[in-house]
Amino acid sequence: MQINLEDLRHHYASLSDEGLLEIDRDELTEIARRCYDEEVEQRQLTAPDATQEEADYQEEAREAVKLDTGDKPDWLEDAACACSFASDPNGDSSSEVENARDALQAGGIPCHVLFHREDPPRVDPRPALCIRVMVPGALNLQATSMLDKEIFNPGIEADWRAHLEALSDDELRALNTEIICAGLLDRIKRLRRAYDDETGPP
């Protein structure tokens, strides 16, 4: 019988916090476990008996990637993920994380690094590590904008330049900047409209 992901997500979403935490995660199938974890994470719940296990995992991950995350801040329960970096057992994302953290702190935005264990694909039994840079929820939009400007946009610009340099003269002249920038401009317009709708007339 094929498992319907939407039915699983709907079922977990319909449960109370207590009912959700009463489920034995170890007895779930891999697909059901992922849906369950998504719901628990979305609600920012932690099973009582998993608190020490999670603390131990955070400590092991800190030592593995040699990244000092500092003390747990008071605002972490209401935090949002400003950016994340994948780090496999043979990789190292600590420098990228530190760059993001430095950019945020330079802009006056507090942040904290958390480690999240991703279920590995079946072809690779090793657990993957996701490093998340968390910020206070109310500062999430400001943080992501700052990271785009200081960290990610320069890399995107370099990719654009490499792509344009690879085009022939005819292909380059055939491009229309109004068209290729339309998606970015539309995103700006939508964000400003959402803000204006929420704040209302002056």
Side-chain angles (χ1 to χ4, degrees), residues 152-165:
F152 302 119
N153 285 355
I156 294 175
E157 180 185 3
D159 291 340
W160 286 344
R161 289 183 179 276
H163 173 71
L164 295 174
E165 290 173 359

Side-chain angles (χ1 to χ4, degrees), residues 4-15:
N4 188 305
L5 291 180
E6 290 306 316
D7 287 346
L8 276 174
R9 292 190 176 105
H10 180 74
H11 170 66
Y12 292 141
S14 69
L15 298 176

Side-chain angles (χ1 to χ4, degrees), residues 40-62:
V40 170
E41 183 176 355
Q42 183 176 345
R43 300 192 197 186
Q44 298 182 336
L45 300 176
T46 301
D49 59 349
T51 303
Q52 186 57 48
E53 179 182 349
E54 177 61 20
D56 292 342
Y57 172 71
Q58 293 293 326
E59 181 62 29
E60 291 173 4
R62 277 195 294 269

Side-chain angles (χ1 to χ4, degrees), residues 189-202:
K189 182 171 67 175
R190 289 177 183 276
L191 178 55
R192 286 177 172 168
R193 184 170 63 212
Y195 175 80
D196 291 341
D197 288 347
E198 186 65 28
T199 57

Side-chain angles (χ1 to χ4, degrees), residues 174-187:
L175 290 179
N176 184 323
T177 55
E178 293 297 325
I179 294 177
I180 62 178
C181 294
L184 297 174
L185 295 174
D186 180 69
R187 185 182 301 180

Side-chain angles (χ1 to χ4, degrees), residues 69-148:
T69 60
D71 296 330
K72 183 178 179 181
D74 296 336
W75 46 261
L76 197 56
E77 289 186 1
D78 299 317
C81 179
C83 64
S84 62
F85 303 90
S87 177
D88 61 50
N90 298 320
D92 182 12
S93 299
S94 58
S95 60
E96 295 176 303
V97 176
E98 289 173 345
N99 289 339
R101 183 168 57 183
D102 291 346
L104 290 171
Q105 291 176 342
I109 298 179
C111 59
H112 183 73
V113 174
L114 281 181
F115 302 96
H116 179 72
R117 181 168 35 205
E118 301 280 2
D119 287 335
R122 295 189 179 184
V123 296
D124 187 354
R126 298 169 301 179
L129 177 65
C130 178
I131 308 176
R132 296 176 175 176
V133 181
M134 311 298 293
V135 299
L139 299 178
N140 188 33
L141 289 176
Q142 183 177 338
T144 54
S145 178
M146 183 176 298
L147 289 172
D148 281 342

